Amino acid sequence: MSGLARDVAVAGVGYSTVARAGDFDVRTLTRAACTAAMADAGVGPADIDGIVEYQFGQGDAPSAVGAQRLLGIPDLAMFNDLMGTGPSGLSSALDAAMAIAAGVCETVLVYRCITRASGHTGAVRTGPPEARGALQFAAPYGYGGGIIPAMAMKKQRRVAELGGSYADYGRIAVNARRWAALNERAVLREPLTLDDYFAARPVADPLLLLDCDYPVNGACAVVLTSRERARDLRHVPVVVDALAYGTGAGADWLYGDDFLFGGTIPCAQRLWAKASVGPADVDVAELYDGFTHITISWIEALGLCGIGEFHDWVDDGDRIGPGGALPVNTSGGQLAEGRLHGLAFLAEAVQQLRGECGARQVPGAEVAVVANAHGPQSGAMVLVRD
Amino acid sequence: MTARPRPVPDPTSGAYWAAAGRGELTVAQCDACGRAHHPPEPACPACGADGPRPRVVSGRGTVFAACVVRQAFDAAFADAVPYHLALVAPDDAPEVRILTNLLGADAAEPVPVGTPVEVGFERLDGPGAVALPQFRVVGG
């Protein structure tokens, strides 16, 4: 029994092709991921009565009703287009779970389609010569590239305030490649050493290129439904045990009260207060890695180790790697599988709990935690095998 | 090279930029809860009270966090890299962080957390002329 008013489960997951290059149409990518997730669940267009999608709000992916047309879905009892200020792609699944729990709809398709054109926030742009609104306090100083400078400053501040070293960040980058080597879908599968990590080009010192995820063109989709309905579908249901959001006080990437952790700590506290399991029960953790700082934050915020203890806890990195005591980001995450913007962490967790991950399968995995984004946009979910 | 973006004052930020034009650095002070914030907002983000007012601060502070930008994100800064970006905590409003460049510092590496800094004002002339608060390392 979850903390939700009605039990919700994930019934299917799907991916489009995921590639660094090539011609594509976001409608084709979205359709491919959605049809794969529906086939995985064993549902057809007439079974879907809700769609939620997450995008940056630039029309960079098909809208919910756009996807409805792509898939020939007759009507929707619930739909929502979420913009880029939420907990990344996971926000679509959080929204869907709440709508199902509330009884508004029964079976919801969620997706995130992202391309290098829309997702490459580090690209050089020509901004407006007049900086208005929040930009007036940022653009004149050369603050750009989305949250890249914020993440650089968090990395510097964390080591100064909590100790540890920049090698801790490298452990996350190296770990991603270790898992990606076992994932045929991953885009970057070559092994990485700590020396390689430190040799990477600095983007904004101390932030290195390999602290940043890898932009790709692709889509990921997930089908959620009631636990009751999921039991009649193709796979063993993966139940949403708890979900939570967090922003922290003064919610902002630069100016929020908790500069290092943002909303991750209140989100994690809320999550475990609602869950039927606790941090010690986690078999596999799929934690956002748009930047390495984010993964470290979630590991500590979720209580997988204490605040400021990551350095000693991660040790040489084997603990979070293949065969380790607490596998983290078993797909290779966005650092190595490719930046599908959050939802793929949920899809990977589901496949791990269903025991479908082949060479990278975590033996006997029954409890997973998934977390997305950071700062004022934090969200997380606990999943258990039915 | 395109021109660097200029701040455009609005009803909420106007007093901040006007003070900067006089060579004064201000934070937004909430008299209801006693906390200050930056950038100025129509209401206090800590308690929601109306009417934060500009409070002049000394302009001395310390580096809260810093980085050295080595890859331009805005074409207007293509010739400026590498340059420092930092958050500064004013000595007399330590709960506040102000985004700034750190002028005159060696760009070989980020300025360490806790380094004392003081404000100056960079005048951007021409149309929409404005004084941009800019910190530098004390004695640097």
Side-chain angles (χ1 to χ4, degrees):
Chain A
M1 188 65 198
S2 73
L4 298 172
R6 183 165 71 133
D7 285 353
V8 175
V10 176
V13 302
Y15 294 81
S16 70
T17 54
V18 176
R20 178 74 169 168
D23 288 334
F24 58 85
D25 178 332
V26 290
R27 292 171 302 176
T28 307
L29 293 176
T30 298
R31 185 178 146 75
C34 290
T35 53
M38 290 162 64
D40 185 52
V43 299
D47 297 312
I48 301 291
D49 64 353
I51 297 181
V52 186
E53 61 92 19
Y54 181 87
Q55 60 172 286
F56 284 128
Q58 304 155 345
D60 46 311
S63 65
V65 296
Q68 178 191 356
R69 287 170 51 82
L70 285 170
L71 296 161
I73 293 169
D75 187 31
L76 295 175
M78 183 273 186
F79 56 95
N80 214 343
D81 297 291
L82 302 175
M83 60 188 275
T85 46
S88 301
L90 186 65
S91 61
S92 61
L94 297 170
D95 217 39
M98 292 188 289
I100 295 164
V104 175
C105 51
E106 185 70 16
T107 302
V108 183
L109 173 68
V110 305
Y111 59 87
R112 174 61 168 131
C113 177
I114 189 167
T115 64
R116 290 180 65 194
S118 64
H120 189 190
T121 52
V124 179
R125 297 173 195 278
T126 300
E130 296 180 329
R132 300 174 189 277
L135 277 181
Q136 71 188 286
F137 293 96
Y141 297 101
Y143 185 98
I147 58 171
I148 288 173
M151 300 313 299
M153 290 191 279
K154 287 174 201 290
K155 182 179 179 183
Q156 188 222 27
R157 175 79 195 184
R158 180 187 157 87
V159 173
E161 183 177 324
L162 296 178
S165 69
Y166 294 147
D168 301 343
Y169 288 75
R171 299 288 181 204
I172 298 294
V174 169
N175 182 64
R177 297 291 187 94
R178 290 182 70 188
W179 285 106
L182 306 174
N183 177 8
E184 292 179 358
R185 194 171 50 229
V187 175
L188 294 175
R189 303 185 68 189
E190 303 75 22
L192 199 68
T193 65
L194 266 189
D195 286 344
D196 296 332
Y197 167 80
F198 281 116
R201 173 169 66 83
V203 176
D205 266 339
L207 189 83
L208 307 176
L209 187 67
L210 295 177
D211 286 310
C212 312
D213 60 5
Y214 195 64
V216 293
N217 306 305
C220 179
V222 174
V223 174
L224 297 96
T225 189
S226 64
R227 181 187 204 165
E228 186 183 356
R229 171 111 170 88
R231 283 177 170 162
D232 296 331
L233 298 177
R234 279 188 64 214
H235 296 286
V236 59
V238 172
V239 178
V240 178
D241 188 61
L243 64 86
Y245 297 78
T247 62
D252 189 271
W253 288 99
L254 288 178
Y255 307 116
D257 283 13
D258 190 335
F259 182 69
L260 295 182
F261 289 90
T264 59
I265 291 175
C267 177
Q269 290 171 339
R270 235 168 248 134
L271 187 73
W272 294 127
K274 294 171 194 291
S276 69
V277 294
D281 301 312
V282 172
D283 297 312
V284 58
E286 309 292 352
L287 308 175
Y288 202 81
D289 62 354
F291 297 93
T292 49
H293 178 88
I294 294 176
T295 315
I296 296 174
S297 294
W298 277 114
I299 287 171
E300 294 188 348
L302 286 163
L304 303 178
C305 71
I307 299 292
E309 295 176 0
F310 178 78
H311 174 80
D312 290 334
W313 179 83
V314 77
D315 193 30
D316 63 359
D318 283 349
R319 178 190 288 269
I320 60 175
L326 184 54
V328 173
N329 294 353
T330 54
S331 64
Q334 298 182 179
L335 293 168
E337 186 186 44
R339 184 192 194 200
L340 292 177
H341 212 191
L343 197 57
F345 290 101
L346 174 60
E348 174 71 9
V350 168
Q351 292 197 290
Q352 284 286 348
L353 296 189
R354 296 198 312 211
E356 297 172 349
C357 289
R360 69 181 191 283
Q361 179 63 43
V362 176
E366 293 184 351
V367 176
V369 63
V370 178
N372 261 203
H374 188 262
Q377 303 184 214
S378 304
M381 198 181 262
V382 175
L383 298 139
V384 298
R385 195 183 157 90
D386 195 17
Chain B
M1 179 171 166
T2 51
R4 280 171 60 179
R6 301 260 172 120
V8 179
D10 57 43
T12 302
S13 67
Y16 176 87
W17 295 114
R22 298 189 299 270
E24 293 176 336
L25 181 68
T26 58
V27 297
Q29 178 66 44
C30 175
D31 290 325
C33 74
R35 277 189 58 163
H37 67 270
H38 175 83
E41 303 215 24
C44 172
C47 76
D50 279 331
R53 62 178 173 84
R55 169 165 70 90
V56 177
V57 291
S58 70
R60 287 185 292 276
T62 55
V63 170
F64 178 84
C67 65
V68 176
V69 177
R70 298 199 177 276
Q71 168 183 326
F73 305 109
D74 183 328
F77 288 83
D79 295 336
V81 291
Y83 58 91
H84 294 270
L85 264 178
L87 290 167
V88 165
D91 288 346
D92 37 7
E95 71 273 38
V96 170
R97 293 169 215 138
I98 298 173
L99 185 70
T100 180
N101 300 127
L102 293 174
L103 301 182
D106 181 355
E109 58 184 20
V111 175
V113 171
T115 301
V117 293
E118 61 191 354
V119 80
F121 295 87
E122 182 182 8
R123 302 213 170 256
L124 306 179
D125 295 324
V130 68
L132 196 63
Q134 287 280 26
F135 284 81
R136 61 176 62 241
V137 174
V138 172

